[in-house]
Amino acid sequence: MVTTPHGAVRGRYEQGIAVFRGIPYAAPPFGPRRFRPPEPPEPWDGIRDAGAFGPTAPKPPYSEAFAQYLSDPVIPGDDCLNLNVWTPEPGPSARLPVLVWLHGGALTRGSSAVPVYDGRTFARDGVVCVSVNYRLGVEGYGLFPDAPPNPGLRDQLAALRWVHQNIAAFGGDPGNVTLCGQSAGAISAGALIAAPQTQGLIRRAVLQSGPPEVSERDKVRRMVRRMATRLRIPATAEAFATVDRDLLLRTQAEVGRLSSPVLGGPSFGIVVDGDLVPRDPLQALIDGEAAQGVDLLLGWTRDEYRLWLVPGGLLERVDRLGPVALAGAMARCHVGHEVPRGYRTLHPDAGIAEIVGQMVTDHLLRIPLHRLADARPGTSYLYEFAWPSRLPGLAACHALELGFVFDTGDVPESARLAGEGAPPELCTTMHAAWVRFAATGDPGWQAWDASHPVRIFDEGVPHTAYGPRDPELDLWSTAPTVPDPTPASDARAPGAELASAVRRLRRSVGARRR
């Protein structure tokens, strides 16, 4: 039993680890609190049972094509702003390092209840692990004229504050907190380490397959407006709050059907709000205006794009689209023919889908992470996860590294992506690097400098490569930037041809998804 300012909670010992699940860090975000910033939870009398995961945030299910690879449990209930704690030694005397986990899922899916994210392995190795649920989709990232932006990100800030105030009672050191996230969780972590309100709450950060970034406000507004049009309501928080929750989720899923990292399109995202996100977090971090003294562990998987394109046979379809797909990628990345030509020279045997996928991955992920590391040498560490899945076509795809980071490669949900026979020694090695980073700030390889050291996790013993992505990334430094694709209404304007290619690509891929 542990006492918090809101009441006592009782956890369970599981294999020698004390586990507390479903602890509320904020009040249920519904009723008058809907679309509003989080508020403290109501205190409770007696001892609250913390033996089971709490409710997950409202979210649509993954499509059938993605559900075969990704686990996403749904736990009903309104009290979805909750977190879980795994600790080897409850009590204020332990002062152990703390890792706070933010799940991915494009800010529309995912939860802390995914079995791959079992924090027992971190606690086993001396790190208190906290995993967090936060609002998703239109509930957490809709942009309305009558509600504050970024409530989902504000949920995460509330969870960090809860950790700072309470984690000592669970055996953690509030002065040694590592914020760790993957994909949308990494994007969130990047925004949070740049936020003025988190000063003193975060000592280190791990950004897996997601850079600090913000979305264009118009892009998020289009998502809300399209939902409003389908629902035949005004695009306001007040109107959205009257819609049946299941209908809202179905509408969100339908409107977002053609959005993806490769295709672009309207989507939910973190926006500059003048408060929690006062400016672009990547630029704030590069300029040295934020997160001074925060160590960074940054990385990606070798073949990120394959999770976006393999489900449903989209990889083969993009290959067949040929020039249309390539033009769409050029528009997505705002570059001309020079960049894809350079990729073709570097990778003469690659198909169109591979070139498109690697171009978009470099544009969205590797280039910004390199820029961030260049601005913070000596305190940044980079890695690439290159071990290929045993499943056909996935290779070293997005999210494949999660079972290795958590050392949960033996759970069935990890096998959905990795297949059977994932090497346990690689799980042990990669997990140990994350444990070491959370404890000391040094994962065990050379910090970033002018030689561009990148730790490669693959078959056999991990090794350090120097500038393994430099030939591709150098192509972008000399290529002229192409303006954003022009809206369809002006077919003669510069960029209209590329915009048309993007629309054709989305329609073609969307037809296959249906």
Side-chain angles (χ1 to χ4, degrees), residues 379-397:
T379 60
S380 301
Y381 298 84
L382 269 67
Y383 73 90
E384 175 173 295
F385 183 81
W387 180 83
S389 170
R390 304 300 192 203
L391 298 179
L394 289 181
C397 67

Side-chain angles (χ1 to χ4, degrees), residues 415-426:
R416 287 191 183 190
L417 272 180
E420 299 297 332
E425 62 276 7
L426 183 55

